[in-house]
Amino acid sequence: MRRRRISAVALATAALVAGTGAVSSTSEAAGQPAVRPSPKPTPTATPSPTATQSDGTLQILTYRGYAEYGGISPKANWVGSFEKETGCRLARVDTVRTAEEMERAVAAAERPYDLISAGPALAGDLITRKLVQPIDPAKVSGYDDLNERFRDMTKVSGKVYGVPFLWGYHEFVYDSSRVKDASMSQVFASGRTALRDSPLTIADAALADAAVKDPYELSQEQLDRAMALLGQQKERTYWRKPIDLIKGFATGSLDYAQATPYYRLLLQKAGKPVRTVAAKTATGWLDSWMLGANLPDTTCAYRWLTWMTAADAQRDAAAWVGLAPANDKACKGRAKSICDLYGADDPKRLDRIAFAVRPPGGCRGEDGECTDYAVWGKRWAELAE
């Protein structure tokens, strides 16, 4: 039995490394620093980290795997191709594991980043604090190729604040060899469940409440009910590294987990009998490229936005990190299996995903004024501490 468990860990870990090499905002591998400048693919001198847009260089903050330079695999090098074909250079690429680490990186930056691949929670904050500026879609070639649903998600008061890049959603999986008749109520009641360590996981608990119509616009009463559901099990695991999910199922320490379809697939390929818990709605998210405010020159920034909009770049990134592309034309070749996994070409399946927004605060919910993200963050910290 011990040999079999170790084999499952090894197989799933090998698939994690070989299949993507780097992973997304909610699916980051272990063993990497929170923020690191990416090395260059050639031994040529790297421009100064303090270089500005006016000399054709860019400083970018993104998730690992979103701006690859060939350092992990020569098959993943869209940064090198971008620099060669546009004449622009990435002076610095800082990479993070999670949305929370990205928020800390923004706060600690000595100067604003030229481009940030933000998720929904951080995007709302960047817009509110005026750390990013509206994007002119006319300057982004191929913008209309992006799925209209995702384009609409980046608009605020009629202005575009992001170029959609990759998206995904969470499902709840269970070990069918240990659990019979799995249900969402059991997911939250079990002490052998792993939930993602993020305030936005509150939205998943809110979906269990029949009175909630929008899991991201919760009144105080609805938030209290969601937290009560989450708080009924004190022994639950909160994960930040997907490798912990793989180890948990491989060793038999987990019965349930919140995961993306990609990690379910990895576990299944490793021989683990994991299945998806039936649910009417799942929570999802979109990562989009945002343009920093007050740039002296946006020429290279727009070239990057155009580059990352194209089907080729989105196809490479989707296959590399295990998330679906926002450009439907990218769902061919090596990204087809990822698109099929997420149902990228199935509008009805997309309709069942509640895509995240930063809980706005100040909105008017069904039962009163909505709670904002700061409140969610505080309540989550108290729960997961």
Side-chain angles (χ1 to χ4, degrees):
M1 180 62 70
R2 181 173 177 80
R3 180 177 298 176
R4 182 179 180 184
R5 287 178 176 175
I6 292 174
S7 176
V9 174
L11 283 172
T13 303
L16 173 67
V17 175
T20 62
V23 282
S24 72
S25 54
T26 59
S27 51
E28 177 55 49
Q32 297 295 332
V35 184
R36 64 179 178 84
S38 295
K40 306 301 291 181
T42 63
T44 56
T46 301
S48 166
T50 60
T52 61
Q53 260 272 298
S54 58
D55 63 2
T57 63
L58 295 169
Q59 293 197 71
I60 290 178
L61 176 63
T62 187
Y63 296 113
R64 280 195 66 209
Y66 281 25
E68 283 300 298
Y69 54 85
I72 298 175
S73 169
K75 296 180 180 179
N77 185 13
W78 42 96
V79 169
S81 299
F82 165 78
E83 292 180 330
K84 182 178 180 179
E85 295 193 22
T86 66
C88 301
R89 289 182 63 83
L90 273 62
R92 187 179 183 90
V93 181
D94 286 347
T95 58
V96 297
R97 296 172 177 171
T98 67
E100 291 71 31
E101 289 178 352
M102 181 169 283
E103 188 169 358
R104 291 195 292 269
V106 170
E110 294 182 0
R111 61 172 294 269
Y113 288 97
D114 300 310
L115 295 154
I116 300 174
S117 62
L122 179 59
D125 185 53
L126 293 175
I127 294 170
T128 300
R129 295 167 57 195
K130 297 183 179 180
L131 296 178
V132 293
Q133 62 179 293
I135 291 170
D136 182 357
K139 295 182 179 180
V140 182
S141 299
Y143 179 80
D144 290 341
D145 290 337
L146 299 171
N147 187 296
E148 184 177 4
R149 182 190 305 253
F150 299 128
R151 280 185 278 148
D152 288 343
M153 289 182 193
T154 67
K155 293 179 181 178
V156 177
S157 301
K159 297 180 180 180
V160 174
Y161 277 93
V163 172
F165 187 48
L166 298 177
W167 63 273
Y169 66 86
H170 292 109
E171 58 189 15
F172 288 89
V173 298
Y174 68 98
D175 186 335
S176 63
S177 69
R178 302 176 60 90
V179 177
K180 307 301 179 184
D181 301 321
S183 67
M184 288 303 298
S185 61
Q186 291 175 347
V187 166
F188 291 107
S190 175
R192 294 168 56 84
T193 296
L195 299 180
R196 185 170 68 101
D197 189 0
S198 168
L200 288 178
T201 297
I202 294 171
D204 293 272
L207 285 174
D209 188 338
V212 171
K213 296 182 179 178
D214 187 330
Y216 303 103
E217 294 189 356
L218 303 181
S219 67
Q220 186 63 57
E221 182 179 349
Q222 291 171 336
L223 176 63
D224 289 341
R225 292 201 297 268
M227 296 308 300
L229 180 62
L230 288 166
Q232 69 182 8
Q233 180 49 253
K234 304 299 183 183
E235 301 302 318
R236 185 184 297 116
T237 298
Y238 298 96
W239 64 266
R240 294 183 180 181
K241 305 169 186 175
I243 194 68
D244 294 335
L245 301 182
I246 293 171
K247 289 179 179 179
F249 280 108
T251 59
S253 64
L254 288 179
D255 289 344
Y256 298 95
Q258 182 184 23
T260 64
Y262 175 71
Y263 285 99
R264 168 178 42 89
L265 179 63
L266 285 188
L267 287 163
Q268 290 171 339
K269 286 185 175 181
K272 301 306 295 180
V274 295
R275 297 180 181 176
T276 305
V277 181
K280 293 182 179 179
T281 307
T283 60
W285 76 96
L286 169 71
D287 289 332
S288 58
W289 288 100
M290 306 189 79
L291 182 63
N294 304 316
L295 301 183
D297 185 352
T298 60
T299 301
C300 281
Y302 271 104
R303 287 176 183 173
W304 177 260
L305 294 175
T306 292
W307 191 269
M308 302 311 285
T309 297
D312 286 348
Q314 294 212 1
R315 182 181 302 115
D316 288 342
W320 184 247
V321 303
L323 291 173
N327 188 334
D328 294 335
K329 292 182 178 180
C331 289
K332 299 177 181 178
R334 55 187 167 280
K336 186 179 186 307
S337 60
I338 295 295
C339 291
D340 292 343
L341 186 64
Y342 285 90
D345 61 350
D346 185 349
K348 291 183 178 179
R349 191 167 167 186
L350 288 174
D351 288 340
R352 296 197 295 270
I353 302 174
F355 282 95
V357 296
R358 184 183 181 91
C363 66
R364 299 299 299 181
E366 292 291 325
D367 300 324
E369 186 173 349
C370 297
T371 50
D372 63 26
Y373 193 66
V375 174
W376 284 39
K378 181 179 179 181
R379 297 291 296 273
W380 183 259
E382 294 171 351
L383 173 75
E385 62 180 2

